[in-house]
Structures are given as structure tokens and as C-alpha cells.
Amino acid sequence: MIRLNLILFAVTIAMALGVVTAQYKARKLYFELDRQEMLTKQYMTEYDQLQIEQSTWAMHSRLEEFATERLHMRSPSMQQTQVIAVDMPAIP
């Protein structure tokens, strides 16, 4: 009887240690998940800001201003423009 009690006691201790270990791992993984979600939110915010910045830099008026002021480019006049007609074959 005492032997059975010792075996049951050892099994109970082992199960308790298993539960504690499982809870510790679950808690650790939960904190890691929370940290990763915060990083995801930060990256999404940064991504949105970069998209806004990219759209600002790529605006037509900004590109035109850059071309005229810094590169000294200008639109061609009507005399410099030549229109070429291309005959397209009919699509059956």
C-alpha cells in the first residue's frame, strides 16, 4: 500500500511540474505574440507613412516643377510636335 502511495505521489508531482511548465511556456508564447502584434502595428504605420510620402514625391506637379526648374526642360511647341498616324490592322 505504501509503495502504491509513493508511486501515486511521484506521478502527482510529475503531473504538477508538467502543468507548471506548460503554463510557463504558454505565458511566454503569449507575451511573444503580443510583442509581435505591437511590431506589426508599428510596421503598418510606417508603411502607411511611406506610401503617403511616395505619393507626395510622385505627384505630377512636383515632377513637372523639378523638370522645369532643375533640369531646364520645357514642353515642345506645336511647330516641334509631329503627329504620326499608324494604320492598325482590323482585328477579326
Side-chain angles (χ1 to χ4, degrees):
M1 187 65 147
I2 292 179
R3 189 173 187 188
L4 179 63
N5 286 340
L6 288 176
I7 292 173
L8 290 175
F9 179 72
V11 169
T12 304
I13 295 296
M15 299 275 288
L17 289 175
V19 168
V20 169
T21 303
Q23 284 181 339
Y24 173 75
K25 287 181 181 179
R27 194 170 289 131
K28 186 176 177 181
L29 289 173
Y30 177 76
F31 286 129
E32 180 65 23
L33 175 66
D34 191 43
R35 189 176 73 81
Q36 293 297 326
E37 286 176 347
M38 286 186 348
L39 282 173
T40 300
K41 287 178 185 177
Q42 289 176 355
Y43 290 145
M44 290 301 294
T45 303
E46 184 178 351
Y47 178 72
D48 291 340
Q49 289 173 347
L50 289 173
Q51 280 187 320
I52 292 170
E53 185 177 338
Q54 181 183 13
S55 67
T56 301
W57 283 103
M59 288 175 54
H60 180 72
S61 60
R62 180 160 177 77
L63 293 176
E64 187 174 357
E65 178 184 339
F66 180 81
T68 56
E69 290 181 7
R70 294 190 183 167
L71 301 177
H72 305 293
M73 297 175 82
R74 55 185 168 76
S75 297
S77 65
M78 290 301 290
Q79 291 81 17
Q80 295 172 325
T81 306
Q82 185 177 11
V83 178
I84 301 173
V86 178
D87 293 328
M88 297 292 287
I91 299 175

